[in-house]
Amino acid sequence: MTTHKIALLAGDGIGPEIMAEAVKVLKLIEERNTVSFDLQSALFGACAWFETGKSFPDDTIAICDNADAILKGTIGLSHEESKQIPVDEQPERGGLLPMRRRYQTYANFRPVALPPELAHFSPLRPEIIGDGIDLVIIRELVGGLYFGSKETGINDQGRRYVHEMLEYDEDQIRQVLEVAFKLAMKRKKSLTNVHKSNVLKSSVLWNEILDEVHSDYPEVSVDHILVDAAATYLCLNPTRFDVMVMENMFGDILSDQCGGILGSLGLMPSACVGPEQSYYEPSHGSAPDIAGKGIANPYSMLGSVAMMLEMSFNMSAEAGNLWKAMQGVFTDGYTTPDLARRGDAEKQISTSEFGDRVVSALADLPSAC
Ligand code: IPM
Ligand code: MG
């Protein structure tokens, strides 16, 4: 029997509600496989700040350091509530970015999957969706503007100014491109490189390194596209993309656009992979407006569990079963109120009923081992 230690960081807002569903699923996976999970809950985010004065407290760091993988819920407060916490200590700057930095989670996988059965969630017309959307954004996650040096002050003319650097070195670029090429090799051998080399020198260097890495993967065909054009084509023809790779800020923006294309960020799980530690999280925020109501869909949280099973625990067959079970609940006509689009055509259920249905659908599938 293998035991995997998982740090559970439920976080703020809807985080605890959707994390509870992830735990239900993990319990079932333990029952039907020769695996056990040692689940260790820890404070992270605004809740941690109120309790300990830190968004990523030392006890949580110790639990995460010691875990085989980290499963994170959502963090953050409403715009108004955030003001209770000093800017640099707010959960995003004080918790999430330090976690990315600590574990150097440089490769962020954001799958964007809309099988035809879920096409009704999307604002795109059926002829654009065709046989379904299935692409993966690989976003560089520990460099660029997010982690470059920052300075604010008053300039010689007495005006307030800010200076924020977009920094990359060639190794940082190469390591994420390697991940993207490897993924392309496993999928359709097609990679879209998203850049802005007509303006940014960082993109010129990025593209130079891309050519070098490409020579190790000659079977992969590479398509280059400017980031602004990519935003347009994601709406007009998303099915032309398979694996897309880009720097941090571009990836932040385009991955949220992909959430819009799917119809909700609630359909966007993700994996943040580092050399020694990885964490898994929904791509969306803590949705304070609907927190505590039991109406948030746990799909992105459960999808993050599926990604953890596959990428950290080598359980890809069971991960595939989980995806199937999750999508099956939608196919059976159920949804949570936050995602409901079709009025009477849908049966609306709570967050926890959604999780229960995933659990029962998964229990009906043959287990992997
Ligand atoms: C994301 C989020 C984060 C980011 C925020 C919460 C700091 O938007 O993971 O996409 O900007 O990277
Ligand atoms: Mg984002």
Side-chain angles (χ1 to χ4, degrees):
M1 170 88 78
T2 318
T3 300
H4 299 295
K5 261 190 226 161
I6 308 175
L8 297 183
L9 314 180
D12 308 314
I14 59 171
E17 296 161 58
I18 58 178
M19 183 63 88
E21 304 315 306
V23 171
K24 277 184 195 165
V25 166
L26 288 168
K27 297 277 178 212
L28 173 69
I29 291 172
E30 275 184 319
E31 275 170 34
R32 46 188 256 125
N33 294 277
T34 49
V35 68
S36 83
F37 298 121
D38 177 0
L39 304 179
Q40 310 200 341
S41 297
L43 287 171
F44 187 69
C47 57
W49 190 86
F50 287 121
E51 189 99 6
T52 70
K54 285 185 179 167
S55 290
F56 191 14
D58 296 346
D59 289 354
T60 302
I61 293 178
I63 288 176
C64 291
D65 281 358
N66 204 18
D68 298 315
I70 300 166
L71 189 61
K72 178 189 151 288
T74 56
I75 55 160
L77 300 174
S78 68
H79 184 70
E80 274 311 306
E81 280 179 327
S82 291
K83 293 180 184 159
Q84 299 171 68
I85 307 182
V87 170
D88 285 332
E89 293 168 36
Q90 286 169 0
E92 296 83 356
R93 278 189 212 84
L96 187 58
L97 298 183
M99 180 151 90
R100 290 178 183 170
R101 179 182 281 124
R102 181 170 189 86
Y103 301 118
Q104 283 299 302
T105 51
Y106 63 90
N108 180 205
F109 290 65
R110 296 199 158 168
V112 183
L114 193 76
E117 313 83 71
L118 307 195
H120 60 276
F121 285 123
S122 174
L124 300 185
R125 290 199 307 271
E127 63 269 30
I128 293 178
I129 297 169
D131 294 334
I133 300 169
D134 179 15
L135 63 94
V136 182
I137 288 189
I138 301 289
R139 165 187 177 194
E140 199 292 323
L141 201 60
V142 292
L145 274 175
Y146 275 61
F147 289 91
S149 53
K150 294 165 199 296
E151 186 183 289
T152 51
I154 309 281
N155 69 14
D156 296 345
Q157 290 84 45
R159 296 192 190 109
R160 284 171 290 174
Y161 78 91
V162 57
H163 187 96
E164 211 151 35
M165 292 278 278
L166 199 172
E167 290 173 328
Y168 274 112
D169 72 29
E170 60 178 303
D171 290 357
Q172 280 179 304
I173 297 173
R174 187 171 291 108
Q175 65 182 358
V176 69
L177 290 174
E178 288 277 354
V179 168
F181 273 103
K182 287 200 172 93
L183 183 66
M185 283 300 288
K186 282 203 227 154
R187 290 173 55 107
K188 294 186 179 157
K189 300 190 175 162
S190 144
L191 177 65
T192 302
N193 175 42
V194 178
H195 64 95
K196 185 74 186 172
S197 69
N198 53 350
V199 175
L200 300 178
K201 294 295 274 252
S202 52
S203 285
V204 173
L205 178 62
W206 178 281
N207 291 354
E208 262 172 47
I209 312 286
L210 186 129
D211 288 342
E212 292 165 21
V213 179
H214 191 188
S215 65
D216 294 333
Y217 301 89
E219 286 171 65
V220 175
S221 76
V222 174
D223 181 26
H224 297 275
I225 187 166
L226 292 167
V227 61
D228 44 355
T232 305
Y233 282 104
L234 276 168
C235 293
L236 296 182
N237 187 11
T239 58
R240 75 178 250 185
F241 299 114
D242 193 59
V243 179
M244 303 177 82
V245 64
M246 62 203 78
E247 68 91 43
N248 203 346
M249 186 84 199
F250 297 165
D252 181 46
I253 297 168
L254 289 192
S255 61
D256 265 35
Q257 187 186 344
C258 287
I261 287 167
L262 296 183
S264 172
L265 281 174
L267 300 173
M268 293 271 300
S270 80
C272 307
V273 176
E276 272 149 38
Q277 184 59 291
S278 299
Y279 78 92
Y280 299 85
E281 62 170 0
S283 298
H284 56 74
S286 59
D289 51 325
I290 60 165
K293 297 186 177 163
I295 62 171
N297 200 284
Y299 182 97
S300 58
M301 187 78 244
L302 302 183
S304 303
V305 170
M307 295 181 82
M308 176 177 74
L309 294 176
E310 180 178 345
M311 299 169 75
S312 281
F313 305 150
N314 211 7
M315 296 177 70
S316 47
E318 193 67 332
N321 286 334
L322 178 52
W323 281 116
K324 216 192 251 172
M326 287 157 51
Q327 289 172 352
V329 178
F330 285 131
T331 317
D332 291 343
Y334 294 97
T335 190
T336 45
D338 62 332
L339 291 189
R341 298 280 184 278
R342 294 192 296 183
D344 293 346
E346 277 162 327
K347 293 163 263 187
Q348 296 192 21
I349 55 177
S350 68
T351 307
S352 129
E353 284 165 333
F354 194 96
D356 291 342
R357 286 194 174 269
V358 172
V359 163
S360 87
L362 180 58
D364 286 346
L365 293 169
S367 75
C369 57

